[in-house]
Amino acid sequence: MRGHVRKALSGALVAGVLALSALTAGAHATSTAYLEVDASQPAAPALHWRIALRDLDALLDLDANGDGQLVWSEVADRAPEITALATAKLVVNSGAAKCVLRWDPPRYVRVGDAGYAHLDGAAACTSRGPLAVEYRLFEGIDPSHRVLLTERGAAPHIVEPGAAIALAAAESSSEKPSGFSGFLSSGIAHIAGGYDHVLFLLCLLLPAVLQRPVASRRWVARDDVTGALMAVIWIATAFTVAHSLTLGLATFGVIHIPARVIEPSIALTILATAINNLWPVVTRRLAAVAFAFGLIHGFGFAEVLAPLALPRNELALALLGFNLGVEVGQLAIVAGAFFVLATLRRWSGYPRWILGVGSALIAIVATLWFIERVFSVRILGF
């Protein structure tokens, strides 16, 4: 009976890895937009919205010649469609009445190392009442997308697609997460939607429930669950400490490494770890590997916070909330993965089908990610 259960669980895990690989093929990369609202004149709030060009391209297919290289002239030619999209995906309400939005043509700006379309606009509100914003970009398409909403004299808010939030000028509270809790929620969403970080962790965890004696040079199950659990705890802790360090340094501008360097490097960390699972070179001290590669992943996490023009005390609070959210999400992933892997570790097919096939699939995805990020081409998806 145990054998049937283990085979069923192993099949579920392999299917899960395949599903995750497929998911990365159609998933939009985690993205952040920036919306500034100046409601000092409630009848005509000023709006400043920065949307990543890759996000606009995903929604409007702006690459006219299909060469995989988006240039600003291709974006500018579609200005009417972009402003129409902005009008459809952002709603400003004054009381029960909807305000009329007007946008200037987009202009190009850089946020960190990414290109953005900057839209300046105004809301004409004919009735007086509490001001609220409804954010609909990527609603029903990509739940990992977030917008950082900043308002004069108020704490910043992290807003998800489909959410509505009352502005501080309205002197009312919102039920949506804001301030610290908003960044906490964003951190959880970021790790949940950060498939590259998840695959890296999974790749490290696959051999953690095994050991490879020098004499036999074959993977065998660890005898005790406690030993396997301690190995997983050390790996997760090392990864946490490392990415927290570089996340903080990058967020406060102490160290800056361009995204065009970091993103391919993250793919390489996944590829190297997967290859090491297939042809082991490092079989001990996997926590050291997690720490070294975690330093690189931390710069990837920082892409959400580093571009924010917040006062240092507010940025520190945002960093704490976001990092805690990442850890909460990471803990849930690690706990779930460990339960399944520890259950399967004594199955004779684990080294070949779980460790081998799983690592091979992850290596393929990481290779394609690397090619995408170096050459700016589409293979897996957006």
Side-chain angles (χ1 to χ4, degrees):
M1 185 68 180
R2 279 186 173 181
H4 291 299
V5 172
R6 286 176 180 166
K7 286 183 180 180
L9 285 172
S10 66
L13 184 61
V14 172
V17 173
L18 286 168
L20 185 57
S21 300
L23 184 60
T24 62
H28 178 266
T30 303
S31 61
T32 303
Y34 304 90
L35 177 64
E36 300 173 17
V37 180
D38 182 356
S40 56
Q41 297 182 9
L47 308 169
H48 308 283
W49 193 3
R50 287 171 287 169
I51 309 172
L53 294 184
R54 68 177 184 179
D55 290 344
L56 289 175
D57 186 35
L59 292 169
L60 298 176
D61 192 17
L62 301 177
D63 186 10
N65 57 13
D67 64 352
Q69 302 290 332
L70 186 63
V71 297
W72 181 247
S73 61
E74 292 174 317
V75 179
D77 288 344
R78 305 279 292 280
E81 293 174 62
I82 294 173
T83 54
L85 177 72
T87 300
K89 299 303 181 179
L90 187 70
V91 177
V92 178
N93 293 314
S94 179
K98 183 177 177 180
C99 304
V100 177
L101 303 186
R102 295 183 177 87
W103 300 97
D104 294 334
R107 54 187 174 87
Y108 177 79
V109 297
R110 291 193 69 81
V111 178
D113 296 298
Y116 279 68
H118 182 104
L119 292 163
D120 291 311
C125 305
T126 55
S127 66
R128 288 299 184 92
L131 290 173
V133 169
E134 296 178 20
Y135 188 78
R136 297 175 178 173
L137 193 67
F138 283 111
E139 182 180 9
I141 299 174
D142 181 6
S144 70
H145 175 76
R146 292 294 184 273
V147 64
L148 180 80
L149 173 63
T150 56
E151 183 188 1
R152 179 182 298 180
H157 305 275
I158 289 287
V159 183
E160 61 189 27
I165 188 165
L167 299 179
E171 298 181 358
S172 64
S173 61
S174 169
E175 296 181 358
K176 294 295 179 180
S178 62
F180 180 85
S181 61
F183 285 108
L184 179 72
S185 174
S186 182
I188 296 173
H190 190 80
I191 189 67
Y195 303 116
D196 46 3
H197 306 299
V198 172
L199 282 186
F200 173 71
L201 274 174
L202 180 60
C203 212
L204 280 173
L205 295 179
L206 288 177
V209 295
L210 305 177
Q211 56 188 355
R212 190 178 173 88
V214 177
S216 65
R217 300 184 65 83
R218 297 179 60 185
W219 290 108
V220 295
R222 285 180 177 267
D223 292 330
D224 61 302
V225 176
T226 303
L229 178 60
M230 290 305 300
V232 167
I233 290 174
W234 277 112
I235 289 171
T237 301
F239 184 67
T240 295
V241 171
H243 75 62
S244 297
L245 177 62
T246 48
L247 170 59
L249 292 173
T251 298
F252 283 99
V254 177
I255 299 176
H256 173 72
I257 301 178
R260 64 179 180 275
V261 175
I262 290 300
E263 292 302 319
S265 298
I266 289 175
L268 284 180
T269 66
I270 303 168
L271 177 59
T273 307
I275 291 175
N276 187 68
N277 288 350
L278 297 171
W279 295 282
V281 175
V282 180
T283 58
R284 300 175 185 271
R285 302 183 184 277
L286 291 178
V289 175
F291 182 86
F293 288 167
L295 293 172
I296 298 173
H297 284 248
F299 288 108
F301 289 129
E303 69 178 8
V304 175
L305 299 180
L308 304 186
L310 297 176
R312 294 184 74 84
N313 60 331
E314 291 186 14
L315 190 57
L317 187 65
L319 173 62
L320 178 61
F322 181 81
N323 198 40
L324 284 177
V326 169
E327 304 321 320
V328 170
Q330 179 180 296
L331 180 62
I333 293 168
V334 169
F338 174 76
F339 174 78
V340 176
L341 298 179
T343 303
L344 294 172
R345 74 188 193 284
R346 294 190 182 279
W347 176 48
S348 60
Y350 187 107
R352 172 178 292 183
W353 296 107
I354 306 301
L355 180 61
V357 173
S359 297
L361 288 172
I362 293 172
I364 292 171
V365 172
T367 301
L368 296 177
W369 268 336
F370 178 77
I371 295 172
E372 281 189 333
R373 296 172 183 187
V374 170
F375 298 103
S376 298
V377 296
R378 295 181 183 181
I379 300 175
L380 291 178
F382 299 124

